[in-house]
Amino acid sequence: MGDALLAGLLAGYGVAVPVGAIAIVVIGLTARTSLRVGAAAALGVAAADGLYAALAVLGGAALAGLVRPVATPLRWAAVVILLFLAGQLAVGALRRHRRPPGPARAERGLTTPGRAFAGLLALTLLNPMTVVYFVALVIGRQASGGWTPAGQVAFVAAAFAASASWQLLVAGGGSLLGRLLTSDRGRLVTALLASALIVLLALRMVW
């Protein structure tokens, strides 16, 4: 249970911390509307992360019997995928730092808490790298022995809680935090931090 909680927290922060277009939308909504709308948007992002974590756990559990005969190569494949995602995140952050993108404009029309939640839920679900990330984590864990049902619930709950806590911090931090996180340096630092968390998760599989 403790291992699943820690893995879920690391996974949730690993996917949530990089400041990209989604975080900029959440910050922009809070600045232009209200904290209620920004918080609803933040919870929409976290709900998508939690849903992908749950789907990955259910899929991993269903594949557990198939995974065991090839546990070692699958564990190493999961490690390689996670390291690739971490490297891609870090390299992308360094490239954006040298040539920062324009401001995100996806927040139009998301002026009520319900619309903000649904809109950010949909936007986050459209990111295929999120599901690849969680599937790699869970399949790698199944190859290492898997979690009990209680551990699976703890992993999903911890991933959601970690994502929600970060997104709510972003939404509630106000304009000062928004300026810090969405600056060139802020985006670089958060992306590199998330990359380091993903590497840590991969190393935990090896250990």
Side-chain angles (χ1 to χ4, degrees):
M1 177 75 78
D3 180 67
L5 279 171
L6 179 58
L9 288 172
L10 289 173
Y13 284 122
V15 77
V17 165
V19 175
I22 296 295
I24 294 173
V25 170
V26 172
I27 293 168
L29 278 172
T30 306
R32 278 183 287 281
T33 56
S34 67
L35 180 58
R36 271 184 56 195
V37 173
L43 291 176
V45 177
D49 291 339
L51 178 60
Y52 271 145
L55 290 174
V57 164
L58 292 174
L63 292 173
L66 299 175
V67 164
R68 289 192 186 97
V70 288
T72 299
L74 269 183
R75 184 169 64 249
W76 282 104
V79 169
V80 169
I81 291 171
L82 289 174
L83 292 176
F84 172 77
L85 292 176
Q88 189 177 57
L89 181 60
V91 170
L94 290 169
R95 287 176 177 169
R96 284 192 302 271
H97 183 62
R98 298 191 184 100
R99 188 179 56 206
R105 301 185 182 275
E107 69 273 13
R108 293 178 181 176
L110 307 179
T111 54
T112 67
R115 288 180 182 178
F117 179 89
L120 269 295
L121 174 65
L123 282 174
T124 309
L125 287 175
L126 290 175
N127 183 5
M129 296 307 293
T130 304
V131 71
V132 172
Y133 169 70
F134 279 115
V135 166
L137 279 175
V138 173
I139 294 297
R141 184 61 201 185
Q142 290 289 352
S144 302
W147 289 306
T148 63
Q152 293 171 357
V153 172
F155 172 81
V156 174
F160 170 79
S163 178
S165 66
W166 177 259
Q167 299 298 343
L168 288 171
L169 174 66
V170 168
S175 59
L176 176 60
L177 179 63
R179 285 196 298 272
L180 289 174
L181 290 179
T182 57
S183 67
D184 292 346
R185 181 170 295 180
R187 289 160 66 90
L188 175 64
V189 169
T190 55
L192 294 178
L193 175 60
S195 179
L197 288 173
I198 296 171
V199 169
L200 179 59
L201 281 167
L203 293 177
R204 280 171 58 81
M205 288 186 188
V206 176
W207 295 334

